[in-house]
Amino acid sequence: MDYFYLAAAVGAYAAGLLCQSVGARRSAPSGAGVRGLTRLIGDPVYIVGFACQVTGFALAFLARAHLPLYLVQGAVCASVALASLLGFVLLRRRTSASELAVFGVMASAIVLLLVVSRPSNSYEIGGLALVGLVTVAFVVAGATWFASRSAGAVPLACLAGVSFAILAVAGRPVASHVGFGLLADPLAWLVVVTAVVGQLQMGLALARGSTTLVGSVMDAVTLLAASSVGFLLLGDRVGDGLAVWVIVGLAACVGGVIAMAAIEKSQVRAMSKDVAARAGRLQTYVPEG
C-alpha cells in the first residue's frame, strides 16, 4: 500500500504544479510581491492546484511511514517531468525529444531507487534535533519577505525546497503513529506550519518563474536536504552493498530536474529570438501604396 500512496502522490503533485502555474501566471504577475497572494486565493485554477498539492502531500505523508526519504523525495522530483508531460498532453505545450529523454532518465532513476531501497520505521527525533529543525524553519520563513522583494524565482524556490525538506523530515516519524495524540506532538505542528509556509513560498516563486524552473530548484533542494537528514537522523535503510546505487539514483533525479530547467530556459530564449525576428520583419515591411 505504501508504494500505491507514493505513485498517487507523484500524480497529484504533477497535476497541482501544472494548475498552480497556470493560476499564478494569470493572477499574480511578475513583481506582484506578497500582495499577489491575495489574488491567487480567488483564482479557481490555482485553488484546484492547491487541492492537488494537499492531496499529494497527504499521500506522500502516508508513504513516508515505512519508505525512506530518499525514495519518496526522489519520486516526488519526478513530478516535475510529469508536469511537463501533462502540459504537452493537456495544454498543447511543446515537448522536445530532450524533455522526453530526461523523463526517461528520471523514471529509470526512480525504478533504481525502488530496487535498492528497504522499507523501515523511522527513528524518533530527539529534543536537540527538534530545536534545530524549528530554528531552521523560523529562519527560512523570515527570509521569505526579503526573497519576495527580488524579481527572480530561484531564491523563493530554494526557500520552498528547504521548507518542504523540514516537512519531510518531521513527517517521517509522525506518519508512523497517526492518531489523536498528534495534537500534542510538536513535530506534527511543525509539519503543518512548514506545509503552509512552503506553499506560500512556492506560490510567490511561480508568479516569477515557470513551472519547470520553480519545481526543479525546489525539488532538488528538498531531495538533497531531506535524503541527507534521513540517513543521518532517521535510520533510512538501503540494501547491503547497494549504497552507491542510491547516490547514482539521487544524482540522476537532481540532474534530471536541472536539465528540465535548462531545456526550458533555452526554449524560452529561442522563442524570444523568434518573436523579435518576426517583429523586425514587420517593421521593415513597407506596403505598396
Side-chain angles (χ1 to χ4, degrees):
M1 197 65 179
D2 296 317
Y3 295 102
F4 168 78
Y5 291 146
L6 184 58
V10 172
Y13 274 129
L17 197 57
L18 187 63
C19 290
Q20 285 183 308
S21 173
V22 173
R25 282 300 184 86
R26 67 185 192 181
S27 297
S30 179
V34 179
R35 281 184 229 169
L37 291 174
T38 59
R39 299 179 64 183
L40 287 177
I41 295 174
D43 188 274
V45 178
Y46 187 86
I47 295 302
V48 170
F50 178 77
C52 289
Q53 290 281 338
V54 171
T55 301
F57 160 74
L59 292 166
F61 175 79
L62 293 173
R64 291 188 191 102
H66 302 106
L67 298 180
L69 288 181
Y70 63 83
L71 173 59
V72 176
Q73 299 310 135
V76 170
C77 265
S79 65
V80 177
L82 184 56
S84 178
L85 193 61
L86 288 176
F88 167 73
V89 174
L90 300 178
L91 303 180
R92 303 296 182 185
R93 292 179 178 174
R94 294 181 180 180
T95 299
S96 65
S98 299
E99 288 176 295
L100 293 176
V102 171
F103 183 80
V105 168
M106 295 187 72
S108 301
I110 300 308
V111 172
L112 177 61
L113 292 177
L114 281 169
V115 171
V116 303
S117 65
R118 293 294 181 270
S120 63
N121 291 325
S122 170
Y123 295 162
E124 292 298 324
I125 293 180
L128 186 59
L130 176 59
V131 171
L133 288 175
V134 171
T135 301
V136 174
F138 179 80
V139 172
V140 169
T144 303
W145 185 84
F146 296 98
S148 67
R149 296 178 66 84
S150 66
V154 173
L156 285 161
C158 288
L159 291 176
V162 177
S163 293
F164 288 131
I166 297 171
L167 182 155
V169 171
R172 175 102 159 91
V174 169
S176 59
H177 55 273
V178 174
F180 290 108
L182 292 181
L183 293 175
D185 189 344
L187 278 176
W189 287 105
L190 183 59
V191 167
V192 173
V193 170
T194 50
V196 173
V197 172
Q199 283 292 326
L200 294 177
Q201 292 164 336
M202 185 175 69
L204 288 170
L206 286 172
R208 293 163 168 77
S210 67
T211 305
T212 306
L213 174 64
V214 173
S216 299
V217 173
M218 181 180 69
D219 285 342
V221 171
T222 302
L223 174 63
L224 294 176
S227 299
S228 300
V229 177
F231 280 117
L232 294 173
L233 295 181
L234 304 179
D236 285 354
R237 295 170 53 195
V238 62
D240 293 339
L242 299 177
V244 65
W245 294 110
V246 173
I247 298 175
V248 171
L250 293 178
C253 287
V254 173
V257 294
I258 293 175
M260 289 293 290
I263 290 170
E264 187 187 58
K265 184 177 181 179
S266 65
Q267 290 175 342
V268 171
R269 186 183 296 116
M271 289 177 62
S272 299
K273 289 181 178 179
D274 183 57
V275 171
R278 290 183 181 183
R281 287 196 295 269
L282 287 174
Q283 290 176 352
T284 56
Y285 171 71
V286 180
E288 296 181 2

